[in-house]
Coordinates of all heavy atoms in Angstrom, one line a residue:
M1460 N -6.6 -3.3 7.3 CA -6.7 -2.1 8.0 C -5.3 -1.4 7.8 O -4.3 -2.1 8.0 CB -7.0 -2.3 9.4 CG -7.0 -1.1 10.2 SD -7.4 -1.3 12.0 CE -8.8 -2.4 12.0
N1461 N -5.2 -0.2 7.5 CA -4.0 0.5 7.3 C -3.9 1.7 8.3 O -4.8 2.4 8.5 CB -3.9 1.1 5.9 CG -3.9 -0.1 4.9 OD1 -2.9 -0.7 4.7 ND2 -5.0 -0.3 4.2
F1462 N -2.7 1.9 8.8 CA -2.4 3.0 9.7 C -1.3 3.8 8.9 O -0.3 3.3 8.6 CB -1.9 2.6 11.0 CG -2.9 1.8 11.8 CD1 -2.9 0.4 11.7 CD2 -3.8 2.4 12.6 CE1 -3.8 -0.3 12.4 CE2 -4.7 1.7 13.3 CZ -4.8 0.3 13.2
V1463 N -1.6 5.1 8.7 CA -0.7 6.0 7.9 C -0.2 7.1 8.8 O -1.0 7.7 9.5 CB -1.4 6.6 6.7 CG1 -0.4 7.4 5.9 CG2 -2.0 5.5 5.8
Q1464 N 1.1 7.3 8.8 CA 1.8 8.4 9.5 C 2.6 9.2 8.6 O 3.3 8.6 7.8 CB 2.6 7.8 10.7 CG 3.3 8.9 11.5 CD 4.1 8.2 12.6 OE1 4.6 7.1 12.5 NE2 4.2 8.9 13.7
I1465 N 2.5 10.5 8.7 CA 3.3 11.4 7.8 C 4.5 11.9 8.7 O 4.3 12.5 9.7 CB 2.5 12.5 7.3 CG1 1.3 12.0 6.5 CG2 3.3 13.4 6.4 CD1 0.3 13.0 6.0
K1466 N 5.7 11.6 8.2 CA 6.9 12.1 8.8 C 7.7 12.8 7.7 O 8.1 12.2 6.8 CB 7.8 10.9 9.4 CG 7.1 10.2 10.5 CD 8.1 9.1 10.9 CE 7.5 8.1 11.9 NZ 8.5 7.0 12.3
S1467 N 7.9 14.1 7.9 CA 8.7 14.9 7.0 C 8.3 14.7 5.5 O 9.0 14.4 4.6 CB 10.2 14.5 7.1 OG 10.7 14.7 8.4
N1468 N 7.0 14.8 5.3 CA 6.4 14.6 4.0 C 6.5 13.2 3.4 O 6.4 13.1 2.2 CB 6.9 15.7 3.0 CG 6.4 17.1 3.4 OD1 5.3 17.2 3.9 ND2 7.3 18.1 3.3
V1469 N 6.8 12.2 4.2 CA 6.9 10.9 3.7 C 5.8 10.1 4.4 O 5.6 10.2 5.6 CB 8.3 10.2 4.0 CG1 8.4 8.8 3.6 CG2 9.4 11.0 3.3
L1470 N 5.1 9.3 3.6 CA 4.0 8.5 4.2 C 4.5 7.1 4.6 O 5.1 6.3 3.8 CB 2.9 8.3 3.2 CG 2.2 9.6 2.7 CD1 1.2 9.3 1.6 CD2 1.6 10.3 3.9
H1471 N 4.3 6.8 5.9 CA 4.7 5.5 6.5 C 3.4 4.7 6.7 O 2.4 5.3 7.3 CB 5.4 5.6 7.8 CG 6.7 6.3 7.6 ND1 7.9 5.6 7.6 CD2 7.0 7.6 7.4 CE1 8.9 6.5 7.4 NE2 8.4 7.7 7.3
V1472 N 3.3 3.5 6.2 CA 2.1 2.7 6.4 C 2.3 1.4 7.0 O 3.4 0.7 6.7 CB 1.3 2.5 5.0 CG1 2.2 1.7 4.0 CG2 0.0 2.0 5.1
R1473 N 1.4 1.0 7.9 CA 1.5 -0.3 8.5 C 0.1 -1.0 8.2 O -0.9 -0.3 8.4 CB 1.7 -0.2 10.0 CG 3.1 0.3 10.3 CD 3.4 0.5 11.7 NE 3.6 -0.9 12.3 CZ 4.0 -1.1 13.6 NH1 4.2 -0.1 14.3 NH2 4.1 -2.3 14.0
T1474 N 0.1 -2.2 7.8 CA -1.1 -2.9 7.4 C -1.3 -4.2 8.2 O -0.4 -5.0 8.4 CB -0.9 -3.3 5.9 OG1 -0.7 -2.1 5.1 CG2 -2.2 -4.0 5.4
Y1475 N -2.5 -4.4 8.6 CA -3.0 -5.6 9.2 C -4.1 -6.2 8.3 O -5.1 -5.5 8.0 CB -3.6 -5.3 10.6 CG -2.5 -4.9 11.6 CD1 -2.1 -3.6 11.7 CD2 -1.9 -5.8 12.4 CE1 -1.1 -3.2 12.6 CE2 -0.9 -5.4 13.3 CZ -0.5 -4.1 13.4 OH 0.5 -3.7 14.3
E1476 N -4.0 -7.4 7.9 CA -4.9 -8.0 7.0 C -5.8 -9.0 7.6 O -5.3 -9.9 8.3 CB -4.2 -8.6 5.8 CG -3.5 -7.6 4.9 CD -3.0 -8.2 3.6 OE1 -3.8 -8.6 2.8 OE2 -1.8 -8.2 3.4
R1477 N -7.1 -9.0 7.3 CA -8.0 -10.0 7.8 C -7.6 -11.3 7.2 O -7.3 -11.4 6.0 CB -9.4 -9.6 7.4 CG -10.5 -10.5 8.0 CD -11.8 -10.1 7.7 NE -12.1 -10.6 6.4 CZ -13.2 -10.3 5.6 NH1 -14.0 -9.5 6.1 NH2 -13.4 -10.8 4.5
G1478 N -7.6 -12.4 7.9 CA -7.2 -13.7 7.4 C -5.8 -14.0 7.8 O -5.4 -15.1 8.1
V1479 N -5.0 -12.9 7.8 CA -3.6 -13.1 8.3 C -3.5 -12.9 9.8 O -2.8 -13.6 10.5 CB -2.7 -12.0 7.6 CG1 -1.2 -12.1 8.1 CG2 -2.7 -12.2 6.1
E1480 N -4.3 -12.0 10.3 CA -4.4 -11.7 11.7 C -3.1 -11.3 12.3 O -2.8 -11.5 13.5 CB -5.0 -12.9 12.5 CG -6.4 -13.4 12.0 CD -7.4 -12.3 11.8 OE1 -7.4 -11.4 12.6 OE2 -8.2 -12.4 10.9
Y1481 N -2.3 -10.6 11.5 CA -1.0 -10.1 12.0 C -0.6 -9.0 11.0 O -1.1 -8.9 9.9 CB 0.0 -11.3 12.0 CG 1.3 -10.9 12.8 CD1 1.2 -10.9 14.1 CD2 2.5 -10.6 12.1 CE1 2.4 -10.6 14.9 CE2 3.6 -10.3 12.8 CZ 3.6 -10.3 14.2 OH 4.7 -10.0 14.9
E1482 N 0.4 -8.2 11.4 CA 0.9 -7.2 10.5 C 1.6 -7.8 9.3 O 2.4 -8.7 9.4 CB 1.8 -6.3 11.2 CG 2.3 -5.1 10.4 CD 3.2 -4.2 11.2 OE1 3.5 -4.4 12.4 OE2 3.6 -3.1 10.6
T1483 N 1.3 -7.3 8.1 CA 2.0 -7.8 6.9 C 3.1 -6.8 6.5 O 3.1 -5.7 6.9 CB 1.0 -7.9 5.7 OG1 0.4 -6.7 5.4 CG2 -0.1 -9.0 6.0
L1484 N 4.0 -7.3 5.8 CA 5.2 -6.5 5.4 C 4.9 -5.4 4.5 O 5.4 -4.3 4.5 CB 6.3 -7.4 4.8 CG 6.9 -8.4 5.8 CD1 8.0 -9.3 5.1 CD2 7.5 -7.8 7.0
A1485 N 3.9 -5.6 3.6 CA 3.5 -4.6 2.6 C 2.2 -5.1 2.0 O 1.9 -6.3 1.9 CB 4.5 -4.4 1.5
C1486 N 1.4 -4.1 1.5 CA 0.1 -4.4 0.9 C -0.1 -3.4 -0.2 O -0.3 -2.2 0.1 CB -1.0 -4.4 1.9 SG -2.6 -4.7 1.1
G1487 N 0.0 -3.9 -1.5 CA -0.2 -2.9 -2.6 C -1.6 -2.2 -2.6 O -1.6 -1.0 -2.8
T1488 N -2.6 -3.0 -2.4 CA -3.9 -2.4 -2.4 C -4.1 -1.4 -1.3 O -4.6 -0.3 -1.5 CB -5.0 -3.6 -2.3 OG1 -4.8 -4.5 -3.3 CG2 -6.4 -3.0 -2.3
G1489 N -3.7 -1.8 -0.1 CA -3.8 -0.9 1.1 C -2.9 0.3 0.9 O -3.4 1.4 1.3
S1490 N -1.7 0.2 0.4 CA -0.9 1.4 0.2 C -1.4 2.3 -0.9 O -1.4 3.5 -0.7 CB 0.5 0.9 -0.2 OG 1.2 0.2 0.8
T1491 N -2.0 1.7 -1.9 CA -2.6 2.6 -3.0 C -3.8 3.3 -2.4 O -4.0 4.5 -2.6 CB -3.1 1.7 -4.2 OG1 -1.9 1.0 -4.7 CG2 -3.7 2.5 -5.2
A1492 N -4.7 2.6 -1.7 CA -5.8 3.3 -1.1 C -5.4 4.4 -0.1 O -6.0 5.4 0.0 CB -6.7 2.2 -0.4
S1493 N -4.4 4.1 0.7 CA -3.9 5.1 1.7 C -3.3 6.3 1.0 O -3.6 7.4 1.5 CB -2.8 4.4 2.6 OG -3.4 3.4 3.3
A1494 N -2.6 6.1 -0.1 CA -2.0 7.2 -0.8 C -3.1 8.1 -1.4 O -3.0 9.3 -1.3 CB -1.0 6.7 -1.9
I1495 N -4.1 7.5 -2.0 CA -5.1 8.3 -2.6 C -6.0 9.0 -1.5 O -6.3 10.1 -1.7 CB -6.0 7.4 -3.5 CG1 -5.2 7.0 -4.7 CG2 -7.3 8.1 -3.9 CD1 -5.9 6.0 -5.6
C1496 N -6.2 8.3 -0.4 CA -6.9 8.9 0.7 C -6.2 10.1 1.2 O -6.8 11.2 1.5 CB -7.1 7.9 1.8 SG -8.1 8.4 3.2
M1497 N -4.9 10.0 1.4 CA -4.1 11.2 1.9 C -4.1 12.3 1.0 O -4.2 13.5 1.4 CB -2.7 10.7 2.2 CG -2.5 9.8 3.4 SD -2.9 10.5 5.0 CE -4.5 9.8 5.3
N1498 N -4.1 12.0 -0.3 CA -4.2 13.1 -1.3 C -5.6 13.7 -1.3 O -5.7 14.9 -1.3 CB -3.9 12.5 -2.7 CG -4.0 13.6 -3.8 OD1 -5.1 13.8 -4.4 ND2 -2.9 14.2 -4.1
F1499 N -6.6 12.9 -1.2 CA -8.0 13.4 -1.2 C -8.3 14.3 0.0 O -9.0 15.3 -0.1 CB -9.0 12.2 -1.2 CG -10.4 12.6 -1.1 CD1 -11.1 13.0 -2.3 CD2 -11.1 12.5 0.0 CE1 -12.4 13.3 -2.3 CE2 -12.5 12.9 0.1 CZ -13.1 13.3 -1.1
L1500 N -7.7 13.9 1.2 CA -7.9 14.7 2.4 C -7.0 15.9 2.4 O -7.0 16.7 3.4 CB -7.6 13.8 3.6 CG -8.6 12.6 3.8 CD1 -8.1 11.8 5.0 CD2 -9.9 13.2 4.1
G1501 N -6.1 16.1 1.4 CA -5.2 17.2 1.4 C -4.0 17.1 2.2 O -3.3 18.1 2.5
R1502 N -3.7 15.9 2.7 CA -2.5 15.7 3.5 C -1.2 15.7 2.7 O -0.1 15.8 3.2 CB -2.6 14.4 4.4 CG -3.8 14.4 5.3 CD -3.8 15.5 6.4 NE -2.6 15.4 7.2 CZ -2.4 14.8 8.3 NH1 -3.5 14.2 8.8 NH2 -1.3 14.8 9.0
T1503 N -1.4 15.4 1.4 CA -0.3 15.5 0.4 C -0.9 16.0 -0.9 O -2.0 15.7 -1.2 CB 0.4 14.2 0.2 OG1 1.5 14.3 -0.8 CG2 -0.5 13.1 -0.3
N1504 N -0.1 16.8 -1.6 CA -0.5 17.3 -2.9 C 0.1 16.5 -4.1 O -0.2 16.8 -5.2 CB -0.2 18.8 -3.0 CG -1.0 19.6 -2.1 OD1 -2.2 19.4 -1.8 ND2 -0.4 20.7 -1.5
S1505 N 0.9 15.6 -3.7 CA 1.7 14.8 -4.7 C 0.8 13.8 -5.4 O -0.1 13.2 -4.7 CB 2.9 14.2 -4.1 OG 3.6 13.4 -5.1
S1506 N 1.1 13.5 -6.6 CA 0.4 12.4 -7.3 C 1.4 11.3 -7.6 O 1.2 10.3 -8.4 CB -0.2 12.9 -8.7 OG 0.9 13.4 -9.5
N1507 N 2.6 11.4 -7.0 CA 3.7 10.4 -7.1 C 4.2 10.2 -5.6 O 5.0 11.0 -5.2 CB 4.8 10.9 -8.0 CG 5.9 9.8 -8.2 OD1 5.9 8.8 -7.6 ND2 6.8 10.1 -9.1
I1508 N 3.6 9.2 -5.0 CA 3.8 9.1 -3.5 C 4.6 7.8 -3.2 O 4.2 6.7 -3.6 CB 2.5 9.1 -2.8 CG1 1.7 10.4 -3.1 CG2 2.6 8.9 -1.3 CD1 0.3 10.3 -2.7
T1509 N 5.7 8.0 -2.4 CA 6.4 6.8 -1.9 C 5.8 6.4 -0.5 O 5.7 7.2 0.4 CB 7.9 7.1 -1.7 OG1 8.4 7.4 -3.0 CG2 8.6 5.9 -1.1
M1510 N 5.4 5.2 -0.4 CA 4.9 4.6 0.8 C 5.9 3.8 1.5 O 6.4 2.8 0.9 CB 3.6 3.7 0.5 CG 2.5 4.4 -0.3 SD 1.8 5.8 0.6 CE 0.9 5.0 1.9
K1511 N 6.3 4.1 2.7 CA 7.3 3.3 3.4 C 6.6 2.2 4.1 O 5.8 2.4 5.0 CB 8.0 4.2 4.4 CG 8.8 5.4 3.8 CD 10.1 4.8 3.3 CE 11.0 6.0 2.9 NZ 12.3 5.5 2.3
C1512 N 7.0 1.0 3.8 CA 6.4 -0.2 4.4 C 7.5 -1.0 5.0 O 8.7 -0.9 4.6 CB 5.7 -1.1 3.3 SG 4.4 -0.2 2.4
K1513 N 7.2 -1.9 5.9 CA 8.2 -2.8 6.5 C 8.9 -3.7 5.5 O 10.1 -4.0 5.6 CB 7.6 -3.6 7.6 CG 7.4 -2.9 8.9 CD 7.0 -3.8 10.0 CE 7.0 -3.1 11.3 NZ 6.8 -4.0 12.5
G1514 N 8.2 -4.1 4.5 CA 8.8 -4.9 3.4 C 9.5 -4.2 2.3 O 10.0 -4.8 1.4
G1515 N 9.5 -2.9 2.4 CA 10.2 -2.1 1.3 C 9.2 -1.0 0.8 O 8.1 -1.0 1.1
D1516 N 9.8 -0.1 0.1 CA 9.1 1.1 -0.4 C 8.2 0.7 -1.5 O 8.6 -0.1 -2.4 CB 10.0 2.2 -0.8 CG 10.8 2.8 0.3 OD1 10.6 2.4 1.5 OD2 11.7 3.6 0.1
L1517 N 7.0 1.2 -1.6 CA 6.1 1.1 -2.7 C 5.8 2.5 -3.2 O 5.7 3.5 -2.5 CB 4.8 0.5 -2.3 CG 4.8 -0.9 -1.7 CD1 3.5 -1.4 -1.2 CD2 5.4 -1.9 -2.8
N1518 N 5.8 2.6 -4.6 CA 5.5 3.9 -5.2 C 4.2 3.9 -5.9 O 3.9 3.1 -6.7 CB 6.6 4.2 -6.2 CG 6.5 5.6 -6.8 OD1 5.9 5.7 -7.9 ND2 6.9 6.6 -6.1
V1519 N 3.3 4.8 -5.5 CA 2.0 5.0 -6.0 C 1.9 6.2 -6.9 O 2.3 7.3 -6.4 CB 0.9 5.0 -4.9 CG1 -0.5 5.2 -5.5 CG2 1.0 3.8 -4.0
Q1520 N 1.4 6.1 -8.1 CA 1.3 7.2 -9.0 C -0.1 7.2 -9.5 O -0.7 6.1 -9.7 CB 2.2 7.1 -10.2 CG 3.7 7.2 -9.8 CD 4.6 7.1 -11.0 OE1 4.2 6.6 -12.0 NE2 5.8 7.5 -10.8
F1521 N -0.7 8.4 -9.8 CA -2.0 8.5 -10.3 C -2.2 9.8 -11.0 O -1.4 10.8 -10.8 CB -3.1 8.3 -9.2 CG -2.9 9.2 -8.0 CD1 -3.3 10.5 -8.0 CD2 -2.2 8.7 -6.9 CE1 -3.1 11.3 -6.9 CE2 -2.0 9.5 -5.8 CZ -2.5 10.8 -5.8
N1522 N -3.2 10.0 -11.8 CA -3.6 11.2 -12.3 C -5.0 11.6 -11.7 O -5.9 10.8 -11.6 CB -3.8 11.1 -13.9 CG -2.4 11.1 -14.5 OD1 -1.5 11.7 -14.1 ND2 -2.3 10.2 -15.6
L1523 N -5.1 12.9 -11.4 CA -6.4 13.3 -10.8 C -7.0 14.3 -11.8 O -6.4 15.2 -12.3 CB -6.1 14.1 -9.5 CG -7.3 14.7 -8.8 CD1 -8.3 13.6 -8.4 CD2 -6.8 15.4 -7.5
S1524 N -8.3 14.0 -12.1 CA -9.0 14.9 -13.0 C -10.3 15.3 -12.3 O -10.6 14.9 -11.2 CB -9.4 14.1 -14.3 OG -10.4 13.1 -14.1
E1525 N -11.1 16.1 -12.9 CA -12.4 16.5 -12.3 C -13.3 15.4 -12.1 O -14.3 15.4 -11.3 CB -13.0 17.6 -13.1 CG -13.3 17.3 -14.6 CD -13.7 18.4 -15.4 OE1 -13.1 19.5 -15.2 OE2 -14.6 18.3 -16.2
R1526 N -13.1 14.2 -12.8 CA -13.9 13.0 -12.7 C -13.3 12.0 -11.7 O -13.9 11.0 -11.4 CB -14.1 12.4 -14.0 CG -14.8 13.3 -15.0 CD -15.2 12.6 -16.2 NE -16.3 11.7 -15.9 CZ -16.9 11.0 -16.7 NH1 -16.6 10.9 -18.0 NH2 -17.9 10.2 -16.3
G1527 N -12.2 12.4 -11.1 CA -11.6 11.5 -10.0 C -10.2 11.0 -10.3 O -9.6 11.5 -11.2
Y1528 N -9.9 10.0 -9.6 CA -8.5 9.4 -9.8 C -8.5 8.4 -10.9 O -9.4 7.5 -11.0 CB -8.1 8.7 -8.5 CG -7.9 9.7 -7.3 CD1 -9.0 10.1 -6.6 CD2 -6.7 10.3 -7.1 CE1 -8.8 11.0 -5.5 CE2 -6.5 11.2 -6.1 CZ -7.6 11.6 -5.3 OH -7.5 12.5 -4.3
K1529 N -7.5 8.4 -11.7 CA -7.4 7.5 -12.9 C -5.9 7.2 -13.1 O -5.0 7.8 -12.6 CB -8.1 8.0 -14.1 CG -7.5 9.3 -14.6 CD -8.3 9.8 -15.8 CE -7.6 11.0 -16.4 NZ -8.2 11.4 -17.6
E1530 N -5.7 6.2 -14.0 CA -4.3 5.8 -14.4 C -3.5 5.6 -13.2 O -2.4 6.1 -13.0 CB -3.7 6.8 -15.3 CG -4.5 7.0 -16.6 CD -4.0 8.1 -17.5 OE1 -3.0 8.8 -17.2 OE2 -4.7 8.4 -18.5
I1531 N -4.0 4.8 -12.2 CA -3.4 4.5 -11.0 C -2.4 3.3 -11.2 O -2.7 2.3 -11.8 CB -4.4 4.1 -9.9 CG1 -5.4 5.2 -9.7 CG2 -3.7 3.7 -8.6 CD1 -6.6 4.9 -9.0
S1532 N -1.2 3.5 -10.7 CA -0.2 2.4 -10.8 C 0.6 2.3 -9.5 O 0.7 3.3 -8.7 CB 0.8 2.6 -12.0 OG 1.6 3.7 -11.8
I1533 N 1.1 1.2 -9.2 CA 2.0 0.9 -8.0 C 3.2 0.1 -8.5 O 3.0 -0.9 -9.2 CB 1.2 0.3 -6.9 CG1 2.0 0.1 -5.7 CG2 0.6 -1.1 -7.3 CD1 1.3 -0.3 -4.4
T1534 N 4.3 0.5 -8.0 CA 5.5 -0.3 -8.2 C 6.3 -0.5 -6.9 O 6.2 0.3 -6.0 CB 6.5 0.4 -9.2 OG1 6.8 1.7 -8.7 CG2 5.8 0.6 -10.6
G1535 N 7.0 -1.6 -6.9 CA 7.8 -1.9 -5.7 C 8.4 -3.3 -5.9 O 8.2 -4.0 -6.9
P1536 N 9.2 -3.7 -4.9 CA 9.9 -5.0 -5.0 C 8.9 -6.2 -4.8 O 7.9 -6.0 -4.1 CB 10.9 -4.9 -3.8 CG 10.2 -4.0 -2.8 CD 9.5 -3.0 -3.6
A1537 N 9.3 -7.3 -5.4 CA 8.5 -8.5 -5.1 C 9.6 -9.6 -4.8 O 10.5 -9.8 -5.5 CB 7.8 -8.9 -6.4
N1538 N 9.4 -10.2 -3.6 CA 10.3 -11.2 -3.1 C 9.6 -12.4 -2.7 O 8.5 -12.4 -2.1 CB 11.1 -10.6 -1.9 CG 11.9 -9.4 -2.2 OD1 12.6 -9.3 -3.1 ND2 11.7 -8.4 -1.4
L1539 N 10.2 -13.6 -3.1 CA 9.7 -14.9 -2.7 C 9.9 -15.0 -1.2 O 11.0 -14.9 -0.7 CB 10.3 -16.0 -3.4 CG 9.9 -17.4 -3.1 CD1 8.4 -17.6 -3.5 CD2 10.8 -18.4 -3.8
V1540 N 8.8 -15.3 -0.4 CA 9.0 -15.4 1.0 C 8.6 -16.8 1.5 O 8.9 -17.1 2.7 CB 8.1 -14.4 1.8 CG1 8.6 -12.9 1.5 CG2 6.6 -14.5 1.5
Y1541 N 8.0 -17.6 0.6 CA 7.7 -19.0 1.0 C 7.5 -19.8 -0.2 O 7.1 -19.3 -1.3 CB 6.4 -19.0 1.9 CG 6.1 -20.4 2.3 CD1 6.7 -21.0 3.4 CD2 5.1 -21.2 1.6 CE1 6.4 -22.2 3.8 CE2 4.8 -22.5 2.0 CZ 5.4 -23.0 3.1 OH 5.2 -24.2 3.6
E1542 N 7.9 -21.1 -0.1 CA 7.7 -22.0 -1.2 C 7.3 -23.3 -0.6 O 7.8 -23.7 0.4 CB 9.0 -22.2 -2.0 CG 8.9 -23.0 -3.2 CD 10.1 -23.1 -4.1 OE1 10.8 -22.0 -4.2 OE2 10.4 -24.2 -4.6
G1543 N 6.3 -24.0 -1.2 CA 5.8 -25.2 -0.6 C 5.2 -26.2 -1.6 O 5.2 -25.9 -2.8
T1544 N 4.8 -27.3 -1.2 CA 4.2 -28.4 -2.0 C 2.9 -28.8 -1.4 O 2.8 -29.0 -0.2 CB 5.2 -29.6 -2.1 OG1 6.5 -29.1 -2.6 CG2 4.7 -30.6 -3.0
I1545 N 1.9 -29.0 -2.3 CA 0.6 -29.5 -1.8 C 0.5 -30.9 -2.3 O 0.7 -31.2 -3.5 CB -0.5 -28.6 -2.4 CG1 -0.4 -27.2 -1.9 CG2 -1.9 -29.2 -2.0 CD1 -1.4 -26.2 -2.5
K1546 N 0.2 -31.8 -1.4 CA 0.0 -33.2 -1.8 C -1.5 -33.5 -1.9 O -2.2 -33.1 -1.0 CB 0.6 -34.2 -0.8 CG 2.2 -34.1 -0.8 CD 2.7 -35.1 0.1 CE 4.3 -35.0 0.1 NZ 4.9 -36.0 0.9
V1547 N -1.9 -34.1 -3.0 CA -3.3 -34.3 -3.2 C -3.6 -35.8 -3.2 O -2.9 -36.6 -3.9 CB -3.8 -33.7 -4.6 CG1 -5.3 -34.0 -4.8 CG2 -3.5 -32.2 -4.6
K1548 N -4.6 -36.3 -2.4 CA -5.0 -37.7 -2.5 C -6.1 -37.8 -3.5 O -7.0 -37.1 -3.6 CB -5.6 -38.1 -1.1 CG -4.6 -38.4 -0.1 CD -5.3 -38.9 1.1 CE -4.3 -39.5 2.2 NZ -5.0 -40.1 3.3
I1549 N -5.9 -38.9 -4.3 CA -6.9 -39.1 -5.4 C -7.6 -40.5 -5.1 O -7.0 -41.4 -4.7 CB -6.3 -39.2 -6.8 CG1 -5.7 -37.8 -7.1 CG2 -7.3 -39.5 -7.8 CD1 -5.0 -37.7 -8.4

């Protein structure tokens, strides 16, 4: 679930993911869907949108044609937040 707020033409997004049951720092899929939704609803006319997330900015780009949204891409930071080991009994 994504909550989007527009402040000074900048989109701020907060994401809660099922299974996590808590707010996540960033979600590429959610940010992309939110950016396209805001464009579709006319809240932004840009096809190059910066999404402000708690975990860092994500940039969503797309092309809009009469057949819909295409060539969608998202860029942003990727950071290791956890490392672990799984022990398997045989």
Side-chain angles (χ1 to χ4, degrees):
M1460 179 182 311
N1461 297 286
F1462 297 92
V1463 181
Q1464 182 179 30
I1465 301 174
K1466 295 181 186 176
S1467 302
N1468 293 323
V1469 175
L1470 299 177
H1471 296 257
V1472 64
R1473 295 179 70 173
T1474 301
Y1475 293 84
E1476 292 189 68
R1477 188 178 81 189
V1479 176
E1480 305 308 327
Y1481 195 74
E1482 184 176 4
T1483 58
L1484 297 178
C1486 175
T1488 304
S1490 292
T1491 302
S1493 296
I1495 290 173
C1496 184
M1497 292 294 104
N1498 180 271
F1499 180 79
L1500 293 173
R1502 301 297 302 268
T1503 179
N1504 294 323
S1505 180
S1506 61
N1507 184 353
I1508 302 170
T1509 298
M1510 304 297 290
K1511 296 283 188 181
C1512 305
K1513 283 188 170 187
D1516 294 355
L1517 299 175
N1518 183 261
V1519 178
Q1520 295 180 340
F1521 52 82
N1522 288 321
L1523 179 59
S1524 72
E1525 57 192 40
R1526 297 192 71 182
Y1528 294 86
K1529 61 181 185 173
E1530 298 171 8
I1531 301 165
S1532 68
I1533 183 170
T1534 56
N1538 300 309
L1539 180 65
V1540 294
Y1541 182 81
E1542 188 173 319
T1544 303
I1545 298 174
K1546 293 185 180 184
V1547 178
K1548 280 187 172 183
I1549 298 178

